[in-house]
Amino acid sequence: MKATMVTAPGKAEVVDTERPTAGPADVLVRMRACGICGSDAFYIAIGGVPPRQGCTPLGHEPAGEVVDVGVDVSGITVGDHVVINPMASPSGIIGNGGPAGALADYLLIENAVRATNLEVIPQHIPWQVAALNEPMAVARHGVNQCRPKPSDKVVVFGAGPIGLGATLAFKSAGVGHVVVVDVISSRLDKALQIGADAVINSAEEDVIERLVQLHGQGESLFPGKAGTDIYLDAAGVAAVVNTALAAAKKGATLAIVGVHKEPVPVEFVNVMSNEITIVGSIGYPDEFFEVTKDLVANWEKYALIVSHTVPFDRVDEALELAGTPGAADKVVVTF
């Protein structure tokens, strides 16, 4: 079979490798779609993930069709469409330093158990939408870290895939008002289409002033604060943290989901005096299959997140597209 692998710093290749065989407790999946993550570009740049530098399989956002089922596996049959949790592989994280990746023709699911490392989905769900399950779980965990209530007023910074996923997650949690902030108008249009209540183009508008207009004045020792309860950073830039803390009222929460590549200074007198909670979020300890249900129920909205689908025989183009800032929102490879 063919598999995509990091073979050297700055280089990813499609190589010939042995097709895996399902054991009694395993399931073999023919890949049908796999999203590309920003971390894939990082792995390529550094030459792979230790200790597999020079031979790191890529792809950790998988969806596919079951083609073989071990005799001890229950609840799964040949032909089932499935989403796969890459974190639950006993041999190592799929596409993140483990021995297998999902940017390949086939993927072996060891010790296959429904709702543990894979789940069956209805066959009408488009493959490129099914492949969103993994990044949407990242977004859902960020939202869960905020412990939102229906009465909360929320702002999401960044209308890329994670920010849009967080917007859907907040609305799924019953939050009454969600604002999305970005500098790209087409992304803000998508945010409105998937259910954001308002958007702010931070290249053209004063974010804090608009938040005060939308969410009212917030209680604080200092004037000019917004009534926003939750700020979620899905952009990973210092300006977001600075804006959120400048706007945050007493008792507000700031959640960091976006990856910051540089340190961000924080004025802690403001954090202390306004009792602001700053919480980090990484991965999806419990959210992977929580997302699956919402993905199935609202797949048309999730479909808007995918900006490009690229066939596997042009995976090099897909990786380049996804790794070029501003060139695409979400790239999914299809098989």
Side-chain angles (χ1 to χ4, degrees):
M1 72 172 193
K2 302 290 187 181
T4 312
M5 190 170 294
V6 180
T7 55
K11 188 174 184 179
E13 298 179 89
V14 176
V15 302
D16 290 311
T17 186
E18 186 176 353
R19 172 176 164 171
T21 301
D26 308 329
V27 163
L28 185 65
V29 177
R30 175 169 171 73
M31 296 313 305
R32 295 298 188 186
C34 181
I36 296 182
C37 175
S39 62
D40 294 322
F42 174 69
Y43 298 153
I44 294 170
I46 65 172
V49 183
R52 299 183 185 277
Q53 285 183 300
C55 58
T56 299
L58 287 176
H60 60 269
E61 301 181 2
E65 181 179 354
V66 174
V67 294
D68 194 11
V69 179
V71 294
D72 296 335
V73 178
S74 61
I76 302 169
T77 60
V78 170
D80 281 344
H81 292 194
V82 294
V83 292
I84 300 155
N85 182 353
M87 300 288 288
S89 175
S91 295
I93 303 172
I94 295 168
N96 281 272
L103 278 172
D105 289 322
Y106 295 92
L107 183 65
L108 183 67
I109 311 302
E110 304 167 283
N111 299 335
V113 178
R114 289 186 61 169
T116 296
N117 49 13
L118 81 170
E119 186 56 279
V120 177
I121 60 170
Q123 297 197 1
H124 70 273
I125 305 301
W127 289 117
Q128 66 268 27
V129 176
L132 292 173
N133 201 130
E134 195 273 350
M136 295 303 97
V138 172
R140 179 64 64 99
H141 181 56
V143 168
N144 287 350
Q145 287 288 85
C146 301
R147 295 176 170 80
K149 305 182 298 295
S151 60
D152 283 337
K153 301 179 182 71
V154 172
V155 59
V156 175
F157 289 90
I162 301 301
L164 293 176
T167 302
L168 284 163
F170 276 122
K171 299 306 289 185
S172 177
V175 171
H177 200 275
V178 180
V179 180
V180 177
V181 180
D182 205 293
V183 296
I184 301 174
S185 58
S186 60
R187 287 184 169 185
L188 295 174
D189 290 341
K190 280 190 179 183
L192 289 170
Q193 290 178 65
I194 67 169
D197 297 286
V199 296
I200 301 172
N201 189 323
S202 57
E204 302 173 355
E205 302 175 88
D206 184 302
V207 174
I208 299 177
E209 182 178 308
R210 283 286 289 131
L211 285 176
V212 171
Q213 292 173 359
L214 291 164
H215 291 164
Q217 292 279 348
E219 179 188 354
S220 171
L221 294 174
F222 308 103
K225 302 292 186 177
T228 309
D229 300 287
I230 295 171
Y231 299 79
L232 187 138
D233 170 17
V237 294
V240 167
V241 175
N242 294 333
T243 300
L245 292 178
K249 67 177 183 178
K250 184 174 182 180
T253 294
L254 167 62
I256 308 296
V257 181
V259 177
H260 284 261
K261 297 178 181 178
E262 300 290 340
V264 181
V266 173
E267 205 282 277
F268 277 106
V269 171
N270 176 37
V271 173
M272 175 194 69
S273 58
N274 280 306
E275 297 186 333
I276 298 168
T277 297
I278 301 177
V279 60
S281 176
I282 188 168
Y284 36 89
D286 304 301
E287 286 84 1
F288 193 90
F289 299 111
E290 176 187 343
V291 165
T292 306
K293 296 176 183 178
D294 198 55
L295 195 74
V296 169
N298 299 292
W299 70 264
E300 290 107 333
K301 289 184 178 180
Y302 283 97
L304 296 170
I305 294 174
V306 179
S307 61
H308 295 76
T309 57
V310 181
F312 182 51
D313 60 6
R314 289 164 42 204
V315 68
D316 55 337
E317 297 177 29
L319 289 166
E320 182 178 358
L321 181 64
T324 303
D329 294 332
K330 185 63 182 179
V331 179
V332 177
V333 174
T334 54
F335 296 75

